[in-house]
Amino acid sequence: MKSKLFSLEGKVAVVTGGTSGIGLALSLGLADAGADVIATARRQQQVDDTAKEIEARGRRTLRLASDVGDRASLEKLLVATLTCFGRVDILVNCAGMIKRTPTLDVTEAEWTNILNTNLTGTLRACQVFGKHMLERGYGRIINIASLNSFVALSEVAAYAASKAGVASLTRSLAVEWSKKGVTVNAVAPGVFRTELNAQLLDSTPRGQELLMRTPMGRFGKTEELIGAVVYLASDSASFVTGQILVVDGGFLASGVNQ
């Protein structure tokens, strides 16, 4: 008999920032695990393209764009999902942004924009969808943290502060919500190659240093994050909450690698 410990059959998942990079991989991975998946982001064309891929896997979805900076758009997404599916079981918060700027030169506008997207945006989605989950007495929330939740990388202070905040928010919500059936965890990716960072990783001294600091000797593939998220979204993780699961090829464990 096939084990259902890691199955997401019959579950409904919403993935913010779910149409590109890590978010896209996770949206498709959740669908492969059996969930109906609503992958949402700001660009309607990417939402439509991702929806086609989800449907090609035999799962249901919706084609709704949203912005984690706009609470009303998240509330609209919740209402539409409840109208179509009746509930939301899983929320994965992938929407995020990063910009490299020497800290002395970071404007308050840039700082505010990054924190508003990465940290406050995560809070907004947790509040909007968490209220529904708490009313039902069941939910799985998975936030996306970062190596920067634990260690500093040069000239991305706003991003690092935002991701440290995501880790702390994850623990705070776990303390508040777990007795009511809603677990809150995070996944902290190491260095993963995406379309946005491929040139930096492959062609710069910074990329070479990141590679050197990773004991496995390679960058991650976005699909290598799927297992961690499926685990945290599944019944296998029913007693796991407030945790930051690091998937980094050994980066945080390393000291001198040569």
Side-chain angles (χ1 to χ4, degrees):
M1 181 177 176
K2 185 178 178 182
S3 172
K4 294 187 177 181
L5 268 179
F6 298 99
S7 172
L8 301 181
E9 292 284 345
K11 302 295 186 183
V12 178
V14 170
V15 185
T16 67
T19 64
S20 63
I22 288 171
L24 174 60
L26 297 181
S27 294
L28 301 182
L30 290 167
D32 286 335
D36 292 323
V37 181
I38 297 88
T40 186
R42 290 182 298 172
R43 296 177 177 85
Q44 185 65 49
Q45 185 59 56
Q46 290 184 330
V47 171
D48 293 341
D49 292 344
T50 304
K52 290 177 184 176
E53 294 195 58
I54 292 168
E55 289 169 343
R57 286 162 162 78
R59 307 302 172 193
R60 295 189 298 158
T61 188
L62 293 175
R63 288 165 165 78
L64 277 179
S66 68
D67 181 354
V68 296
D70 178 3
R71 183 179 296 270
S73 75
L74 295 174
E75 292 171 340
K76 179 180 177 182
L77 177 66
L78 173 63
V79 170
T81 304
L82 295 182
T83 299
C84 185
F85 295 94
R87 68 190 189 284
V88 177
D89 302 295
I90 301 159
L91 172 67
V92 183
N93 287 308
C94 287
M97 63 181 298
I98 186 170
K99 187 174 187 296
R100 185 176 183 183
T101 308
T103 304
L104 275 180
D105 300 328
V106 174
T107 65
E108 289 193 15
E110 180 180 316
W111 176 274
T112 300
N113 192 29
I114 291 172
L115 265 73
N116 184 51
T117 299
N118 297 357
L119 178 54
T120 312
T122 296
L123 172 66
R124 286 188 192 98
C126 286
Q127 287 179 324
V128 169
F129 288 90
K131 184 175 187 293
H132 159 71
M133 291 175 172
L134 290 166
E135 288 170 351
R136 283 187 64 217
Y138 179 90
R140 298 283 187 267
I141 296 176
I142 300 115
N143 298 322
I144 301 300
S146 169
L147 290 178
N148 271 148
S149 299
F150 307 98
V151 297
L153 302 180
S154 180
E155 298 183 341
V156 287
Y159 180 81
S162 73
K163 290 300 186 177
V166 167
S168 183
L169 175 64
T170 298
R171 289 187 286 265
S172 294
L173 294 181
V175 168
E176 291 187 42
W177 293 357
S178 294
K179 284 184 180 178
K180 301 173 183 176
V182 179
T183 66
V184 188
N185 295 286
V187 170
V191 187
F192 283 74
R193 181 185 279 103
T194 67
E195 288 184 9
L196 291 178
N197 68 11
Q199 193 277 333
L200 180 146
L201 295 184
D202 298 336
S203 307
T204 69
R206 188 180 183 92
Q208 286 303 303
E209 182 179 355
L210 290 168
L211 184 63
M212 181 183 69
R213 291 280 301 276
T214 303
M216 289 188 74
R218 64 176 178 84
F219 301 123
K221 303 171 186 175
T222 54
E223 58 266 26
E224 291 179 299
L225 289 164
I226 293 170
V229 171
V230 169
Y231 163 65
L232 292 173
S234 74
D235 290 339
S236 296
S238 57
F239 199 56
V240 178
T241 195
Q243 298 303 305
I244 317 298
L245 178 52
V246 180
V247 184
D248 70 347
F251 189 104
L252 290 182
S254 78
V256 176
N257 290 332
Q258 58 183 341

